[in-house]
Amino acid sequence: MRLQIFTWIILLILLSPIVLGIQNYFIYSDAPFLTPQYGSVVVKHILVKYFNYSEEDDIYVLVSGNYSQAFKEVNNSLKYLSDAKLITPYDYLNQSNQTYFKLISPIINSTYEKLLPLHSLYVNLTKERAYILQNFSIFEYELNVTYGIPIHKFYPVGAEAEKFYYIYSQLNGSELQKARNASLTVFKNPFVLLFSFSNYSNTSLVRSTLLNFSNYSYLVKILTRESVPENALVDPFSYATNQVESEIKPMPISLSDFHRDGKWLFIIQVPNNESLTQIEEFMNNINATVTGHLPIYAESAIATEKDLKIIDIVTVILLSILLVLLIRALVPILILILSAVIGLEIAYALLFLATFFGYQIYYISGLVIPPIVFGITVDYSILFLYRYFEEVRKGTENPVSKSFRTAGRALLFSGLSITLGFSSFIISSSPLLKNIGIALVVASVSSLIPALFFIRSVLLTIPQKYIKFPRKEVPNPYDIRQKYLETMSRAAIKWRYVILGVMVILGFLGYSAFITHTTNIAINEIVPPNSEVVAGEQELLHFLNYSVDYIVIKGNPNSSYTQIYNLSKFIIDNNGLVYGPASIGSTLIKNQTYLTNLYFSHNYTLIEAYIPYPVFSDGAIYITKQIMDMGYLVGGSNAERIYIVDNTVQVYYTFVLPLTIILITVYLGIVLGSVIVPLRLSLTLLLSSLVGIALMFIIFNQVYWLSPLIVFAIMYSLGIDYDMFIIIRILEEKGEEEERIVKAVKNTGLVVTAAGLILAGAFMSLGSADMRFLQEIGISVGLTILFDTFIVRPIMVPAVMAILKKYNWWPGLRTVEKYVIDEKQN
């Protein structure tokens, strides 16, 4: 046996480096869980393949000082990043202008081409005017023919005069109209139109008018019926440019969007698979505020590493205090803590081995393991110890073997049910739930190993006199608290129908809180509230604060132009900018233009939407979610987050949770030979979970999207333990049903109380974390376990079982009772 203890110690030493370095293998990005079932992944594939987009992420850096100092600070820090590209404010503005002019150039050219004939006419008119001034007598002749012949004051001879008279006589209209039209046909000189019957003969007036003439727009309008300003005739390209720019506004950014309150904004583009370690190093070595998609994950990694150490230390301290209060013997306490440490090392070692087979440890999966393993391992181990203490006090010849046969089987029943509950995650369609499920199953299995084998090895090796230290005898598994439990259970049976009514009310209130309160995906949930990236996100609101959504519509934009126009209008009305077939920036284009081809490739239409909020912010998520709810495929960081959250939540509540309930109910039905007990157990677990989630919303108001899900997941698996302890004990007791229930609650009371306090304490340790969502999970699960331990098990379970009485065991197979009887006979 000493060899077994030595083996455990060697195992403990060998696995410790893995545990100490396991955080280095955590992943924080959602990217590994994004599969083609998510629209954002489909969009990214289309962008890269058909629209030549690169896969890059932006890092936003806010630096104090003048421009030269800020530039030097950022540029010198680029060495910590791989393949990084610095975009200065001036670079961004230049690129924005280049993109803008690239988009509007076809419109400018189109407008310019329409003006070219008018410009040519203008040029010809200026030449004509110069010719007239040099050959004034010819112009006077044209005027005399035009206005003198109709009023019979000029009688020239010649072909032009005859032609004029003939045409004039053939025309309809006023005298003036006929004279001018006939003159244009014969002389093709529009300047005659500046005069009339009353002033054509005033030579000084005619000369003065021609010398001072500048209103070419008037002549052009008469000749072409096109009304254009003078500058359009003089410089049609400049006019076209100014006209298009006035109608289609450039992106509303300026240098002031990059320089405010003594700070400069720089953007660094890095590959979206950039190492978070390098980003951490960059953030640590630059004197600036850094934020963005990847820095958020990097900051979460830093917080996780810190929190993991704090959580482990606080968990050990809390468990030690609880164990001292509950057991009051040094060696058993050390044994229990050591068993929990072994369980944790085994769990992390198994996850580490899984990474060689493609498994990636999501940081949430890694963070929930310590409280689960510590809590379950100590719970199982303490059950084993209490049965051992009980057998020692009875004077059993071989107390270790006896307690192993009885408690060991109970642990296996409970452990298998927990594993079954967690296994429903693994067979779900959600990659994220699968990842968390693997970690949960590993945690549950790892908790059983030290409880079943290490504890047995220790008890067989260490003499009883050391187990007692510093007491004179082994701890008593019975104490005065059992009288309280007996009183409570008898009162619960007496008032069972009142308690049932209270349960229904609590369930209704809990469910109401669950369906009426909203969750969030805010970044301040996954990083400390005083985090640099949170401060950066707030500061970024006053700088250039757009995040980009990429919207893809299948088919030719010409056939869906109205739809594209309406979508673009929706985004622009929400202060966004849109670049696509129906818009440039904030300008909507009602009719189809060259843009339909520019944003069309391989039967896909692309729309780039600049949402006026930073990535992952509430505003950005809200608008992106609205676009997705319209039925569009959306890509980009905001969309990726929404797709994975919506899919995970939908799969959990429609598949994983129902399957968990079914698996546990069926398994317990087979083990217990009863249909009613498993159903009652599931309902009481549901009540505890709903009460826990209601408490979560009361304490934290709005919570992280994963928090309610994890509360359900943990309670529907771990909550089985205490109920099973009571049920198995009921089957061991003799007498009437109500008496057996009271005895079972009384005799298991200390174990259930101890286990509940220990598991609650393990999860309460998460409250010491800096990350808010860990606090939500830890405090909520801890309170839920306490509610389950001190209210549900000693009060509500006896009340319901007393109402059902013999029907608890319908159809009466009682498989567990059979094995208990067999054990007693042995």
Side-chain angles (χ1 to χ4, degrees), residues 591-639:
N591 300 315
Q592 298 168 16
T593 65
Y594 68 98
L595 291 173
T596 58
N597 294 324
L598 191 61
Y599 289 93
F600 177 70
S601 178
H602 294 81
N603 205 35
Y604 290 105
T605 300
L606 172 64
I607 299 172
E608 294 181 13
Y610 285 74
I611 308 301
Y613 302 98
V615 65
F616 289 174
S617 64
D618 291 342
I621 294 297
Y622 177 73
I623 293 179
T624 303
K625 186 74 165 62
Q626 284 185 294
I627 296 170
M628 292 169 62
D629 289 342
M630 295 176 189
Y632 294 105
L633 276 177
V634 185
S637 298
N638 294 321

Side-chain angles (χ1 to χ4, degrees), residues 597-746:
N597 294 324
L598 191 61
Y599 289 93
F600 177 70
S601 178
H602 294 81
N603 205 35
Y604 290 105
T605 300
L606 172 64
I607 299 172
E608 294 181 13
Y610 285 74
I611 308 301
Y613 302 98
V615 65
F616 289 174
S617 64
D618 291 342
I621 294 297
Y622 177 73
I623 293 179
T624 303
K625 186 74 165 62
Q626 284 185 294
I627 296 170
M628 292 169 62
D629 289 342
M630 295 176 189
Y632 294 105
L633 276 177
V634 185
S637 298
N638 294 321
E640 286 180 352
R641 194 72 172 149
I642 294 170
Y643 276 116
I644 200 167
V645 169
D646 286 357
N647 176 265
T648 303
V649 170
Q650 190 267 338
V651 170
Y652 179 75
Y653 289 114
T654 61
F655 177 80
V656 174
L657 182 57
L659 182 60
T660 301
I661 297 171
I662 292 170
L663 287 175
I664 291 174
T665 303
V666 171
Y667 166 71
L668 293 179
I670 295 171
V671 170
L672 299 174
S674 167
V675 174
I676 302 301
V677 169
L679 289 175
R680 191 272 309 153
L681 188 152
S682 294
L683 289 174
T684 51
L685 284 177
L686 176 62
L687 174 63
S688 297
S689 301
L690 289 173
V691 169
I693 288 171
L695 290 172
M696 178 194 294
F697 284 123
I698 290 172
I699 296 170
F700 295 100
N701 191 20
Q702 196 179 55
V703 301
Y704 194 55
W705 68 277
L706 264 176
S707 298
L709 187 153
I710 291 178
V711 171
F712 270 118
I714 290 174
M715 284 309 302
Y716 255 98
S717 296
L718 303 188
I720 296 170
D721 281 353
Y722 313 142
D723 210 307
M724 285 294 291
F725 294 165
I726 295 173
I727 294 300
I728 291 175
R729 196 68 186 218
I730 289 174
L731 295 174
E732 292 184 35
E733 301 295 343
K734 295 181 180 180
E736 295 296 325
E737 191 72 21
E738 291 183 4
E739 192 63 27
R740 294 168 68 199
I741 294 170
V742 172
K743 288 180 179 179
V745 172
K746 174 185 175 183

